[in-house]
Amino acid sequence: MGCLDDGRFAVEIENGVSNGCDEVGLGNDGGAIEEAVKVLLEGLGEDVNREGLRKTPLRVAKALSEGTRGYKQKVKDIVQGALFPEAGLDNRVGHAGGAGGLVIVRDLDLFSYCESCLLLFQVKCHVGYVPSGERVVGLSKLSRVADVFAKRLQEPQRLADEMCSALHQGIKPAGVAIVLQCTHIHFPDIESVFLDTNHEGWVKILVSSGSGDFENKSADVWNDFFSLLKLRGFNMDKVHFRGSSDPCWCPSQSSLSAKVSSKIGPVNPTMISAVASIIESLGEDPLRNELIGTPSRFVKWLMNFQNSKFDVKLNGFLRGGMDALNINEENNLNKKITSELNIPFWSQCEHHLLPFHGVVHIGYLICDGFNPIGKSLLQSIVHFYGFKLQVQERLTRQIAETISPLLGGDVIVVVEASHTCMISRGIEKFGSSTATIAVLGRFSTDPSARASFLQSIPSPTSTGEQ
């Protein structure tokens, strides 16, 4: 599948890629990233000295440095010393051990920064190789080599090819196979979020790469590889043997994104230059063909969180509709619980400038004879507070405080969210989620009312895990 065609991999395996940062600290490039982040925050109209943002430039610089540390790691240092002698079959026909016995490591959870938009995409990686020369490699090294190339600005097919090439040249097997299940968050923009009620929050693709015995995608050894993956519920029919003419998978380059971007108009050139300087500080060439449009795409996405026009529209609507929607507080004991569950939201963490997303559940008490509030208004309120630099605790409180006067004061709000900062920084906890709650009025004093609402919340569904 051509993963060994590019000779530059041999140089990287031997010497690594240096970006000028020291291994522990951020160095001078970290300071350059911090200054660039300040430019971006100011471009959003934010006060960089605000309490929640004061350390954001440093936190972003650290997260980016951790998430792209693969540029300064050497594959040779990982593999060297990790090859162990292992005999094959003794005077028998067949393959086993260190002479042709297929080895697979499955379900490695990784992440990469998308080179097209600088947002994260998640990777479930499956690595296989056929030993030769009666030697095998320590299994943990397969994971570490995969991580070296994941921790760079990446694109799925190139990521698979780089992993495959590095392992083939590093351990000299009979063949290497890589299959990646990649999931990219499809973050809506403020212009389209109200128009597309069936917005798909994820784009998924499966790619593969092979060398040696796996060079031919029809080879029998691929059948063995996929059969072992099937034991884990893997569907080989969805594997995409990608061609050079395939379109970019990144949602930022989709036709809908292009239409929305054309309405936004020109973006701040100072902000674009700041993003380009970040890319350069990470050790990449911002003039590389695949990265030329990245600064502009990232800034256009970031500008979703400067919502002055949306603020005016929503505040005006709330003021105009307040009297009509306000619920009489009499007969408090005769009120019944009404709820709107699984209202989707997307937001941006102000601490790391990374997305978080999930659902909002809203419950309130209403008297018989009153109609429930329209879901569209609640969704508008959720979007209003979501499309900002946020923290989940504040988002939950703000939604509750805003809808409380519209609904008679008895309100409960639960926000469930997945935070990309939980997978992209040192903790790297895949599949974790966070729940926050705000209770006002009777819900704060009546445990049975709280319990009744909380029990009505459905079990969470998959939000991006492969």
Side-chain angles (χ1 to χ4, degrees), residues 392 416-419 422 429-435 460 463 465:
Q392 184 173 333
E416 297 183 284
S418 297
H419 292 251
M422 289 292 288
K429 293 297 183 183
F430 292 81
S432 66
S433 63
T434 303
T463 55
E465 295 81 357

Side-chain angles (χ1 to χ4, degrees), residues 69-80:
R69 62 178 181 266
Y71 285 115
K72 54 183 177 285
Q73 293 178 314
K74 301 176 184 179
V75 173
K76 180 181 177 181
D77 292 343
I78 295 173
V79 175
Q80 198 171 47

Side-chain angles (χ1 to χ4, degrees), residues 96-107:
L102 178 61
V103 179
I104 296 179
V105 175
R106 301 173 291 200
D107 299 328

Side-chain angles (χ1 to χ4, degrees), residues 250-314:
C250 177
S252 72
Q253 298 198 53
S254 67
S255 57
L256 177 59
S257 179
K259 290 179 181 178
V260 172
S261 295
S262 64
K263 295 180 181 180
I264 296 176
V267 294
N268 186 329
T270 304
M271 296 176 72
I272 292 178
S273 297
V275 177
S277 73
I278 290 174
I279 292 174
E280 186 172 13
S281 296
L282 295 176
E284 268 286 3
D285 178 9
L287 297 180
R288 178 161 64 87
N289 187 56
E290 295 85 354
L291 292 173
I292 289 177
T294 299
S296 177
R297 286 188 289 268
F298 180 78
V299 171
K300 286 180 179 179
W301 169 77
L302 193 62
M303 293 306 292
N304 281 306
F305 306 98
Q306 184 191 43
N307 302 315
S308 57
K309 292 182 180 179
F310 189 38
D311 288 6
V312 173
K313 182 185 297 185
L314 182 65

Side-chain angles (χ1 to χ4, degrees), residues 182-451:
C182 301
T183 306
H184 194 309
I185 187 172
H186 186 187
F187 206 104
D189 56 80
I190 196 64
E191 293 290 333
S192 66
V193 70
F194 292 102
L195 302 177
D196 185 8
T197 56
N198 296 314
H199 175 78
E200 291 291 336
W202 300 94
V203 174
K204 298 184 178 184
I205 190 172
L206 283 78
V207 298
S208 65
S209 186
S211 66
D213 290 352
F214 292 94
E215 186 74 23
N216 182 353
K217 66 181 181 181
S218 300
D220 290 340
V221 69
W222 272 111
N223 293 329
D224 296 339
F225 184 91
F226 287 132
S227 293
L228 291 174
L229 291 188
K230 277 184 176 179
L231 298 176
R232 309 287 288 186
F234 182 85
N235 186 355
M236 64 172 289
D237 295 332
K238 295 183 178 181
V239 175
H240 183 50
F241 292 99
R242 192 171 180 186
S244 59
S245 62
D246 288 354
C248 177
W249 81 308
C250 177
S252 72
Q253 298 198 53
S254 67
S255 57
L256 177 59
S257 179
K259 290 179 181 178
V260 172
S261 295
S262 64
K263 295 180 181 180
I264 296 176
V267 294
N268 186 329
T270 304
M271 296 176 72
I272 292 178
S273 297
V275 177
S277 73
I278 290 174
I279 292 174
E280 186 172 13
S281 296
L282 295 176
E284 268 286 3
D285 178 9
L287 297 180
R288 178 161 64 87
N289 187 56
E290 295 85 354
L291 292 173
I292 289 177
T294 299
S296 177
R297 286 188 289 268
F298 180 78
V299 171
K300 286 180 179 179
W301 169 77
L302 193 62
M303 293 306 292
N304 281 306
F305 306 98
Q306 184 191 43
N307 302 315
S308 57
K309 292 182 180 179
F310 189 38
D311 288 6
V312 173
K313 182 185 297 185
L314 182 65
N315 288 333
F317 179 79
L318 288 177
R319 286 194 298 270
M322 182 78 74
D323 293 337
L325 294 170
N326 197 28
I327 296 174
N328 195 320
E329 296 187 15
E330 295 180 0
N331 300 318
N332 188 56
L333 296 178
N334 296 325
K335 290 181 178 180
K336 63 180 181 180
I337 298 177
T338 302
S339 60
E340 287 290 351
L341 306 177
N342 289 324
I343 300 174
F345 83 93
W346 295 266
S347 195
Q348 176 85 326
C349 172
E350 70 175 31
H351 294 160
H352 302 97
L353 295 189
L354 290 169
F356 68 100
H357 58 93
V359 291
V360 178
H361 312 291
I362 297 174
Y364 55 97
L365 297 176
I366 188 173
C367 296
D368 289 336
F370 284 90
N371 293 323
I373 193 171
K375 184 176 182 178
S376 61
L377 175 58
L378 296 178
Q379 180 71 83
S380 296
I381 294 171
V382 169
H383 285 328
F384 169 63
Y385 288 111
F387 277 90
K388 297 177 181 294
L389 298 187
Q390 271 288 13
V391 294
Q392 184 173 333
E393 296 87 345
R394 185 193 308 144
L395 172 67
T396 309
R397 173 181 59 80
Q398 288 175 331
I399 293 173
E401 289 180 338
T402 300
I403 65 176
S404 177
L406 303 177
L407 300 173
D410 300 317
V411 169
I412 183 170
V413 174
V414 174
V415 176
E416 297 183 284
S418 297
H419 292 251
T420 51
C421 65
M422 289 292 288
I423 68 169
S424 65
R425 296 168 60 245
I427 189 171
E428 296 190 14
K429 293 297 183 183
F430 292 81
S432 66
S433 63
T434 303
T436 48
I437 185 171
V439 290
L440 299 176
R442 181 174 155 189
F443 282 104
S444 66
T445 59
D446 187 343
S448 63
R450 287 199 305 275

